[in-house]
Amino acid sequence: MKNKVVIFSAPSGAGKSTIVGHLLGIHPELEFSISATSRAPRGQEKHGVEYYFYTADQFRQMIEEDKFVEYEEVYSGSFYGTLRSEVERIWAKGHAIVFDIDVQGGVNLKRIFGDQALSVFIQAPSVDILRERLIGRGTDTEEAIERRVAKAASEMEFASGKFDYVLINDDLSTAKTEAEKVVSDFLKK
Ligand code: ADP
Ligand code: 5GP
């Protein structure tokens, strides 16, 4: 297996972290790409675990220094990006990289990595279910949830036809099994 990447994109709340977490638990050769962000840590999040946390000024400085493979201002004032050093760190261990990234970022990464990449779009069965899941997760304010839901519809439209695989996350155990299969097939290639 040489320098492969698996990209997961989805509107927030569709179940990306849940499915990615499951895959990381069963495939030791997969390693999560820790993104840099300028948003504040949520709950117990720690620098170097869920994200590398920086201020917006530090983030802009790193953009100037060309430190990113890609970056996006995913929400107004909140930057997220993949550091070149992170890609090198994971490939140096002989691992395949797993990205959990917004829809635009996923399309950009697929363009950059081409056949080295499998890009998977995770979709909730409906926008109402997406909202319910975000409420149930209990990590975002009402306002942030509405922002994320509003963004989801345009993300789904934008994503159409741009990913290698679309995974509908309705029943979770079915979705996990489907994700296992598509990723295993790709890693074997
Ligand atoms: P994302 O990473 O895409 O923002 P999460 O993985 O955090 O989404 O999932 C959002 C919420 O929905 C979480 O509370 C998670 O436990 C729940 N969830 C994920 N998949 C399902 C599913 N198939 N059915 C019901 N709830 C789910
Ligand atoms: P959250 O704030 O919920 O952790 O993430 C918000 C969004 O930013 C999610 O859609 C997540 O996938 C996306 N994201 C995380 N890391 C990156 C990254 O490195 N680049 C881009 N473009 N988006 C990212």
Side-chain angles (χ1 to χ4, degrees), residues 3-23:
N3 293 357
K4 289 193 172 179
V5 315
V6 185
I7 302 159
F8 285 95
S9 295
S12 185
K16 216 172 353 132
S17 314
T18 306
I19 289 170
V20 166
H22 171 71
L23 290 171

Side-chain angles (χ1 to χ4, degrees), residues 28 46 52 82 104 120 140 147 162:
K46 290 206 167 46
Y52 301 112
T82 305
Q104 178 72 60
V120 180
D140 298 275
R147 225 171 348 129
K162 296 194 178 78

Side-chain angles (χ1 to χ4, degrees), residues 10-19 100 133-134 136-137 169-172:
S12 185
K16 216 172 353 132
S17 314
T18 306
I19 289 170
D100 168 342
R133 286 185 188 166
L134 285 169
R137 188 169 70 181
N169 178 19
D170 189 354
D171 173 66
L172 183 56

